[in-house]
Amino acid sequence: MGSTSRVLGGLATVIALVAGTAPAASAAPENDFRPAAVDWAPCPELPEVECGTLRLPVDWSRPRGEKFDLALARRKASDPAKRIGSLVIHPGGPGPSGVEFAFAAPYWFSPQVQERFDIVGFDPRGVGRSSPITCSADLLARRPSTYPTTQAGFAALGRYNRDLAADCRARSGPIYDHSDSLAVVEDVDAIRQALGERKISYYGLSYGTLVGMQYAERYGRNLRAMVNDSNLDHSLDARSFVEGTAIAAEDSFREFVEWCGTTPSCALHGRDVGAFWDDLIARADRGEISEPGDPSRPVSANQIIDYALLSFYDPSWTQLAQWLVARAETAPTTTRAATADEVVADPFLPVFCQDWQIRPRSLREYTGLLRRADELAPHMSRAFLGHQVTHGCVGLPDATNPQQRPRLDNAPKILLLNNLHDPSTGYGWAKSLHRQTRDKTVLLTYEGWGHGSYIRTDCVRDTADRYLISLRTPANGTRCAPAESPEVPIPTAARSATPRPAATGW
């Protein structure tokens, strides 16, 4: 989990590393670090929830070195007599707060789950209350063109990314270089130890599924159950990754267009939505679109596209159509005065670029990826997930946690949930991941829309709950019919903890 800073969302070129060639991540690093017990106390924001911190190594290869405080929140099982254990939850991103996800748990998880599990959320390292990665807002706003036409322009993009990384590193400290998902995996097992649990259950949403799968690879013996909801496939090379994000975003755009065509309440009903969209984006590129009532606030084409993608997460198509029409009626923008530099939280690319070896090495390679995205997504190729990861890691050092095929030797059966029309973690990724792990995973398909499956219908939720509580998995190939309306109402409190991010991310 609607405007973008440069956090998903926020999700490249084929390099020598291809699926299956990276070193295996199944063996835990050798260290004798043992976390202290958490000193729980009522959370200041919500006293019915307990909060605490865990002092952990910044660099797990040097467990006696510098430490940071990992923020935790725990909702204890509402019926202690039925308690099964701890359910560790991860809201995705990178960027959303797992502490706030725990705050919102009653709006997300069923009463049956809340009765039986202590629900434990955490802000992943580099996020929120856990040594957040911060960067200069002014520098973020000065990114050069991400559509270079010369090798010099491509080189400038790489220099900018290195300058931005240096700025974020200087502001954030050593956590900046140690925020990959394998480090988070170590943090999760430290949470397990601090809770005094022999095994934990886990619910990962969106980017949290990558952490979940890597935890299952490295610490499968410490897992009781795992539900991964809206899945990333960490075996994808750069081209396949870009193709997947483009296909998913364009599919959701087509679903929106079809809905408008059959829904009289859509503000674009009866119009050629594709032509309207193309004209709006062209006008925004010319600086002709502003916020309604304030011509000093320009609305860029990227902002429009990103707003649309985020609206597909719920989906909130009625609101999106109204928003688009309102901006189409605005006048050309006027000059806006510059503002003082600010510092903003921006963990998405620092985490992503450590987890994914997506590094176009030349202008030709880079533009080839952009052309492929345009072919697959003529309306949505510029959406932040695919486009940002294509340009955001250019020129940076190699990933510390690069792609590899999953190896789940010691893990229990894992339940994968995915929507057929997910706008960011496309259904093709879930199918690919399941094919690679067929003996260890079961895929449940929700035949509807949006990002995040668990909350969609009783069919999905009851099936996931049955597995979490009794460890009974559904049959492979199980499918849940879509809700009657695509616009399933999602409680406001739950939205704050969903993968609908405040910035870019999954």
Side-chain angles (χ1 to χ4, degrees):
M1 11 119 55
S3 66
T4 61
S5 68
R6 302 300 156 214
V7 160
L8 269 181
L11 291 151
T13 227
V14 183
I15 52 130
L17 177 81
V18 294
T21 62
S26 54
E30 293 296 328
N31 68 69
D32 57 359
F33 181 83
R34 294 293 178 268
V38 179
D39 185 14
W40 297 106
C43 301
E45 306 94 327
L46 196 63
E48 68 193 64
V49 180
E50 297 176 317
C51 284
T53 58
L54 203 53
R55 193 78 172 157
L56 297 178
V58 170
D59 180 355
W60 276 100
S61 70
R62 300 177 60 236
R64 300 184 190 281
E66 190 166 355
K67 305 292 192 298
F68 79 103
D69 289 326
L70 186 81
L72 300 166
R74 177 174 68 177
R75 279 185 174 273
K76 299 197 80 170
S78 61
D79 188 342
K82 295 181 180 178
R83 183 184 182 277
I84 293 172
S86 293
L87 176 66
V88 177
I89 59 175
H90 190 307
S97 164
V99 167
E100 292 175 14
F101 196 10
F103 290 170
Y107 301 94
W108 192 269
F109 296 101
S110 70
Q112 291 74 26
V113 167
Q114 295 177 64
E115 285 176 349
R116 292 166 171 83
F117 292 95
D118 295 346
I119 297 177
V120 181
F122 66 103
D123 284 2
R125 53 175 58 214
V127 171
R129 302 161 180 82
S130 298
S131 296
I133 293 173
T134 57
C135 310
S136 162
D138 178 65
L139 185 55
L140 284 164
R142 289 192 278 114
R143 176 175 281 115
S145 171
T146 58
Y147 294 89
T149 58
T150 65
Q151 184 63 35
F154 178 73
L157 186 58
R159 285 195 301 274
Y160 169 82
N161 286 340
R162 291 189 292 275
D163 290 344
L164 178 61
D167 173 85
C168 302
R169 182 181 294 109
R171 296 174 188 272
S172 309
I175 203 76
Y176 179 89
D177 292 306
H178 299 281
S179 54
D180 63 82
S181 290
L182 283 181
V184 179
V185 162
E186 296 301 321
D187 298 344
V188 170
D189 204 61
I191 293 171
R192 178 194 62 80
Q193 294 177 54
L195 293 172
E197 299 280 16
R198 189 173 68 86
K199 295 188 176 188
I200 56 171
S201 298
Y202 179 92
Y203 173 83
L205 188 60
S206 196
Y207 209 83
T209 66
L210 172 54
V211 173
M213 289 300 287
Q214 294 203 301
Y215 185 84
E217 290 184 54
R218 180 165 285 184
Y219 290 114
R221 64 188 180 279
N222 297 338
L223 261 182
R224 174 187 169 275
M226 175 172 286
V227 174
N228 277 342
D229 185 344
S230 308
N231 295 269
L232 280 83
D233 179 1
H234 198 228
S235 72
L236 299 173
D237 61 30
R239 182 179 175 87
S240 298
F241 188 95
V242 170
E243 289 175 342
T245 57
I247 290 169
E250 191 71 14
D251 171 71
S252 286
F253 182 85
R254 287 194 300 269
E255 293 293 308
F256 167 64
V257 171
E258 182 177 336
W259 175 84
C260 273
T262 59
T263 307
S265 62
C266 174
L268 292 167
H269 181 69
R271 303 176 68 170
D272 183 333
V273 179
F276 168 89
W277 174 270
D278 291 341
D279 177 68
L280 183 64
I281 296 302
R283 289 175 56 204
D285 278 334
R286 296 193 297 268
E288 297 174 2
I289 304 297
S290 61
E291 288 293 345
D294 187 353
S296 71
R297 294 177 60 199
V299 178
S300 70
N302 284 347
Q303 286 174 308
I304 294 170
I305 296 167
D306 290 351
Y307 186 93
L309 185 65
L310 290 169
S311 297
F312 298 156
Y313 274 46
D314 290 340
S316 48
W317 290 340
T318 297
Q319 177 184 327
L320 171 61
Q322 294 169 347
W323 189 92
L324 293 172
V325 168
R327 276 139 194 86
E329 296 171 351
T330 60
T333 61
T334 58
T335 303
R336 190 178 189 187
T339 57
D341 189 20
E342 299 174 347
V343 174
V344 296
D346 193 55
F348 177 73
L349 281 174
V351 175
F352 183 91
C353 294
Q354 292 178 53
D355 279 339
W356 299 81
Q357 184 67 12
I358 296 179
R359 304 289 193 279
R361 305 294 191 187
S362 67
L363 177 66
R364 180 179 179 182
E365 198 172 11
Y366 181 79
T367 55
L369 290 171
L370 298 187
R371 281 195 303 271
R372 182 58 177 155
D374 283 337
E375 292 168 1
L376 295 170
H379 300 98
M380 296 297 294
S381 65
R382 292 159 67 176
F384 61 79
L385 288 183
H387 186 59
Q388 187 177 22
V389 303
T390 306
H391 70 70
C393 305
V394 169
L396 296 183
D398 286 346
T400 53
N401 178 32
Q403 300 96 304
Q404 65 171 42
R405 293 178 64 87
R407 294 172 56 180
L408 302 176
D409 298 336
N410 300 311
K413 199 73 117 178
I414 294 170
L415 178 59
L416 309 179
L417 311 178
N418 224 91
N419 298 347
L420 188 61
H421 299 292
D422 189 307
S424 59
T425 54
Y427 186 61
W429 288 359
K431 290 195 298 181
S432 170
L433 181 60
H434 178 50
R435 279 195 301 269
Q436 297 173 70
T437 58
R438 189 171 295 276
D439 59 331
K440 288 290 188 177
T441 62
V442 173
L443 174 60
L444 184 149
T445 302
Y446 170 64
E447 297 177 320
W449 307 265
H451 188 55
S453 301
Y454 176 83
I455 57 170
R456 296 292 162 180
T457 65
D458 288 344
C459 173
V460 180
R461 179 177 289 194
D462 291 350
T463 304
D465 285 356
R466 187 179 307 112
Y467 162 71
L468 281 173
I469 293 168
S470 69
L471 301 181
R472 285 187 292 142
T473 56
N476 258 320
T478 297
R479 302 175 81 88
C480 289
E484 183 176 345
S485 169
E487 296 193 289
V488 179
I490 298 175
T492 300
R495 285 186 184 179
S496 69
T498 74
R500 180 187 176 88
T504 57
W506 277 270

